[in-house]
Amino acid sequence: MSTYRDFAHRGSARATVLRTVGTRERRSHLTAPRVPTVGIDIGGTKVMAGVVDADGTILETVRTETPDKSKSPKVVEDTIVELVLDLSDRHDVHAVGIGAAGWVDADRSKVLFAPHLAWRDEPLRDALASRLVVPVMVDNDANTAAWAEWRFGAGRGEDHLVMITLGTGIGGAILEDGQVKRGKYGVAGEFGHMQVVPGGHRCPCGNRGCWEQYSSGNALVREARELAAADSPVAHGIIERVKGNVPDITGPLITELAREGDAMCVELLQDIGQWLGVGIANLAAALDPSCFVIGGGVSAADDLLIGPARDAFKRHLTGRGYRPEATIRKAQLGPEAGMVGAADLARLVARRFRRTNRRRVERYERYAQIYDQAASTLRSNRNTRTS
């Protein structure tokens, strides 16, 4: 006779359980199972996966480049599955959380749109759940990073937090009273696509003048490469460093040279920081948080970036001088924040899945006991008749 474990984890049941997660993160992390989970951060340039314990400690990470966006979305899915299976060989994984660089719907099942990836209405959660034997959670990568900083990093103790992630573009997230605010359709926090310069630089999202075109890793590199390509005298230092090969100019290289005192690189980071401060002031006028946490790869520039951002924030804040000012802090968890947050949110899914699964097992065992009693009675009656 087949046992319950032969069919308990199949796709439709798993999907039904996962849809019950909703927006109930508040305080639920306190009772989540203390089991290891995998978090995956999918960006425009890399896919990073890691096993994370209940205290936010990373036990192991693996990473690879993001497959070229001209390829089928299944290629990215295959990459995710390979990373999870690799980690599962060495760890007892109970759930998988995905932090995706794109818009995720309110059910956290589809990636509606990803400016830097070839995802359009991509049913990522169900596609992965059908291939993995553990529950899967999908969320926006900025939401997962904000959750991680609130749980384990720079946002601990804050009840109104806004996260800004500066990487290939700009991501954002809002967290109030221990709950991620995703909006009616799941796409709240896409601050990077606020229009700040009408008719400005074209953005991969299709519009012009988006904030991330002026304060992001792409913006930083674009400006440096344009100056180098024009053989500007202020770009002499970076041209010499890359031996005239302009495509070799990267964000980390600009930050490195700025720390060494290269005037152009310092100025470029100041420009990015000033645009960052202007955007933060606008968000403060709209959301009035107590704290802004700045994360993402570009935040590695520290005060070369965040110092100018704080100055611009103070200059542009509505009602400055007559209102409390939000603090601006650098994220503590670095580029792993999205991965850690995805793993921790997946732990909530694991708890609900395990609870529902346990109830089904208990119900099945009761039915099996009744069946065994009935079968025993039937055998006893047959023996009585034959005797």
Side-chain angles (χ1 to χ4, degrees), residues 63 66 70-71 107 135 150 152 203 233 258 261 272 312 326 337 339 344-345 371:
R63 68 185 70 202
T66 303
S70 66
K71 298 178 181 177
D107 288 338
W150 177 71
F152 309 112
C203 180
I272 297 295
M339 180 188 72
D344 200 57
L345 285 167
Y371 172 82

Side-chain angles (χ1 to χ4, degrees), residues 334-367:
E336 289 82 20
M339 180 188 72
V340 171
D344 200 57
L345 285 167
R347 194 167 290 107
L348 307 182
V349 176
R351 182 196 64 189
R352 292 179 174 87
F353 187 84
R354 282 152 60 97
R355 179 188 299 158
T356 302
N357 185 59
R358 184 172 64 251
R359 288 171 180 167
R360 287 176 177 162
V361 171
E362 291 171 351
R363 185 167 60 247
Y364 172 81
E365 289 174 346
R366 286 199 301 271
Y367 291 158

